Structures are given as structure tokens and as C-alpha cells.
Amino acid sequence: QVQLVESGGGSVEEGGSLRISCSASEDIYCMAWFRQVPGTEREGVAYITAGDSTSFINSVKGRFTISRDKAKNTLYLQMNSLKPEDTAMYYCAARPGGMCNLARNSFKYWGQGTQVTVSS
């Protein structure tokens, strides 16, 4: 069982930056960040493969960067130029194989989430 623990969430003003982290108990092929606002479906934000291929949803392209430190088994999401609509609970997710994508149901392991709040 892979354990994922997020950290680094918080409150920031519009236009600000924040980096959230996800510590994994082991190296795993595909890792991603999802976010969820209460009452809505969990939305995929970005993923990264073991080979460092990345993909982002359109609304965060050019503002967010996903990266991973394989030596530390840690996933990061650097969020710049934050907007109030980025406010959500952010979840780390991982899957051991298959095609890496942002299909929520394809991820086997999930963290507990870290809250990001952007005020205008």
C-alpha cells in the first residue's frame, strides 16, 4: 500500500504563489495532482510520469509547474499567479502503471488533501 502525504497548503492573495508537496512511501510511475471544491467533482490538474513527461489542464497552463524529486519520492506543484478560482482542496494521486492521464478513476492511491485558498 503506497502512502501519500500532502503538505504546504495555505492562504494566499490573488497573484501570489504557493508550492505544495506530496511525500510518497515509494517511487511510483505516474503521479498527479487533483483538486476539489465542495459540491463539485474532483478535477485533475496535472500529472508527471517517471520519465518526467507532464500534462496540465488548460486553466493552469503557464501558471503551474509539476515536478518530482525521485531521490526523496516527493511530488511538487508550484502554483504561480494564483486566482480565486484555484481555491480548492488539492489531492496527490498515484498509479503504478498503465497510461498516465488525469482520469480520476484510474488512480489507485490518494493522499488526504491540503487546502489552498486564494483571496481576491
Side-chain angles (χ1 to χ4, degrees), residues 28-82:
I28 194 160
Y29 167 66
C30 174
M31 299 191 76
W33 288 101
F34 285 74
R35 65 186 181 186
Q36 188 172 24
V37 175
T40 68
E41 289 193 355
R42 193 167 296 187
E43 170 189 48
V45 176
Y47 72 72
I48 185 168
T49 69
D52 292 332
S53 294
T54 62
S55 183
F56 300 85
I57 55 172
N58 287 337
S59 60
V60 307
K61 282 181 181 177
R63 299 190 298 121
F64 290 11
T65 302
I66 188 171
S67 62
R68 61 195 296 174
D69 184 329
K70 293 167 189 162
K72 297 181 180 179
N73 290 337
T74 301
L75 176 72
Y76 302 100
L77 186 67
Q78 176 67 45
M79 302 180 287
N80 299 327
S81 302
L82 281 160

